[in-house]
Amino acid sequence: MPRTAAPTLLPPPPPPSPPSPTTVLRAADSARRRTSASAVLRSVLEHGPVARSTVARLTGLSPASVTDYCARFAELGLLHEASVPRRSGGVGRPHLPVDLDDSRFVVGGVHVAVPYTTVALLDLRGRVVAERRLKHDRTEPSRVLARAADGLAALFAAAADRTPLGVGVAAGGWVDRDSGTIVEHPLLGWRDIPVRDVLGAHTGLPVQVDGHARALVGAERLFGRARDSRSLLHLFVGNVVDAAFATNDEVHHGPRSQAGAIAHLPLRGGAEPCDCGRVGCLQVELSERTLCRRARAAGLAVGVNPMRVVEAAAGGDPVAVRLLVERARMIGRAAGLLLDILNPDTVVVTEIGIIHREDCLAALREAVGPQRAAAVVPTSFPDSVLAVAGGSVALDVLYRDPLGVSPGAT
């Protein structure tokens, strides 16, 4: 028999060379510049019009560094000098404070909900410049995203005097920020949808994607009442129920951005059967679908629109009031559970009853308990929360790396 030739054994490849000291130093310098630029721009956002010397004091940077960053931001159109100079103590050379220039740029925002998609434009202060709601006629991803792109194009065209910096997309379910993918959205039937690539191809703009609870944590920390909280929990209660947690300005994402998936946490007192086979899971108990189904069963003509329950309650319907207050009390139990686990300084809740009714907020806080009730607050964006969620995904990236995102940055 012929003998089979013995396989040739190749030597193992050499280990990769460690990065050179020069490479490491350059990376560290780049990270420092990014952090410093972010600190300067955020200080101006929060305190402007503000003197450069005050920015230096707030950030701990040298006055020369602050002046350099402000000059760069002015070149890019992000800052401008305020028109009224300020004097220190009324004597000496007047100082021209700097302020954010919110007139030149916008970001696009897309929020994909179960019944509709919201498209919007936001300025650099997180304010909604324009907004449209696109009701879903079909929920195939290609159809929904193409309509979102068309809706954004119409908004950009109507604001032709503003330059778009990018697009942010927020959605419920499992959203992987790093890959720009909606990994799984059970209520829409979506799985592994490359949202960043699809919308980037449609719009020709950089696209960032994240979960809506995490997006709203970023919005609260940049533009909302919770910007000074050292730790922040956001609880989003819509058709999807999820949460996000941030400490020291860093939102926790976890591997593949799975953090905040609380849909199947058991809720004490819950009785709704869940598709997972258990009873009383948090999402099925608190979702807007459940609220509307209970309202219809009680004789209210609300269809599938939860705002009709709120409208009925505003008109004095006792059944609608009871349903909303009971739901708020259950949300309070969920918030109390998360407070026990994470112990944040502040809990922000986004939910229609709590946004619109003081009795719902009171019921929520009562269920949380008197010692921690003051830590629980409604969203800072009651009239535009979904638009802000989408746009804030892009604005968060801008404020973390303003020189890397801005037009003309090098």
Side-chain angles (χ1 to χ4, degrees):
M1 283 181 72
R3 297 176 62 187
T4 303
T8 302
L9 297 179
L10 299 176
S17 300
S20 69
T22 301
T23 301
V24 172
L25 288 173
R26 285 175 179 169
D29 287 344
S30 177
R32 277 195 297 270
R33 285 194 297 272
R34 186 165 55 248
T35 301
S36 298
S38 173
V40 170
L41 191 61
R42 289 185 63 168
S43 292
V44 177
L45 167 68
E46 185 169 353
H47 300 283
V50 60
R52 294 170 181 83
S53 58
T54 303
V55 174
R57 177 175 54 81
L58 292 169
T59 61
L61 297 170
S62 71
S65 293
V66 170
T67 297
D68 288 344
Y69 282 117
C70 289
R72 182 71 169 122
F73 292 147
E75 291 172 4
L76 294 169
L78 298 175
L79 297 185
H80 62 87
E81 291 185 332
S83 57
V84 180
R86 294 181 176 178
R87 293 180 181 271
S88 178
V91 296
R93 184 179 178 181
H95 298 282
L96 282 173
V98 292
D99 201 2
L100 202 67
D101 189 341
D102 52 31
S103 65
R104 299 191 185 192
F105 300 115
V106 289
V107 298
V110 177
H111 180 275
V112 182
V114 175
Y116 54 82
T117 293
T118 301
V119 294
L121 303 185
L122 274 65
D123 69 12
L124 298 190
R125 297 186 189 276
R127 298 177 301 202
V128 176
V129 175
E131 179 179 357
R132 290 182 63 188
R133 183 172 290 181
L134 308 173
K135 186 175 177 60
H136 294 160
D137 52 2
R138 303 196 307 271
T139 57
E140 296 95 331
S142 58
R143 170 70 173 170
V144 170
L145 296 178
R147 292 188 70 210
D150 290 343
L152 280 177
L155 294 183
F156 285 136
D161 58 331
R162 307 247 190 155
T163 301
L165 291 176
V167 176
V169 183
W174 177 7
V175 182
D176 182 7
R177 175 188 62 171
D178 291 339
S179 66
T181 301
I182 293 180
V183 181
E184 187 174 24
H185 195 308
L187 296 182
L188 285 174
W190 289 16
R191 190 171 185 85
D192 295 324
I193 307 303
V195 174
R196 182 172 64 199
D197 295 342
V198 173
L199 277 181
H202 275 288
T203 63
L205 292 168
V207 176
Q208 310 293 333
V209 186
D210 209 344
H212 56 201
R214 291 191 292 265
L216 288 168
V217 166
E220 291 285 349
R221 297 191 77 90
L222 283 172
F223 315 113
R225 292 188 297 266
R227 64 173 54 175
D228 294 326
S229 295
R230 292 171 299 174
S231 56
L232 173 65
L233 170 70
H234 188 278
L235 178 59
F236 186 99
V237 184
N239 282 308
V240 173
V241 178
D242 52 15
F245 181 63
T247 56
N248 297 323
D249 205 34
E250 290 296 327
V251 180
H252 180 61
H253 282 75
R256 290 208 72 192
S257 299
Q258 283 188 276
I262 60 171
H264 295 287
L265 284 179
L267 187 59
R268 179 172 55 87
E272 289 288 328
C274 182
D275 290 343
C276 74
R278 293 181 293 182
V279 172
C281 290
L282 202 147
Q283 179 165 291
V284 73
E285 195 67 38
L286 299 180
S287 77
E288 290 176 349
R289 288 183 169 189
T290 300
L291 172 66
C292 289
R293 182 180 55 74
R294 289 173 175 171
R296 292 194 303 271
L300 297 179
V302 300
V304 295
N305 186 348
M307 278 305 300
R308 291 183 179 173
V309 184
V310 176
E311 291 164 1
D317 189 295
V319 174
V321 172
R322 175 178 59 80
L323 289 171
L324 290 170
V325 170
E326 286 178 352
R327 184 178 189 232
R329 190 169 290 113
M330 295 291 276
I331 294 168
R333 293 179 186 173
L337 174 65
L338 295 171
L339 270 161
D340 287 340
I341 296 170
L342 297 171
N343 194 31
D345 289 335
T346 305
V347 178
V348 177
V349 179
T350 295
E351 187 271 338
I352 55 169
I354 291 156
I355 288 173
H356 293 284
R357 298 187 60 85
E358 287 294 329
D359 54 356
C360 289
L361 180 59
L364 168 74
R365 287 174 167 165
E366 181 183 5
V368 167
Q371 291 184 332
R372 298 179 297 183
V376 183
V377 297
T379 176
S380 300
F381 316 103
D383 300 321
S384 55
V385 65
L386 301 184
V388 169
S392 290
V393 179
L395 289 171
D396 181 71
V397 174
L398 168 67
Y399 280 100
R400 288 185 185 277
D401 186 14
L403 295 178
V405 174
S406 310
T410 58

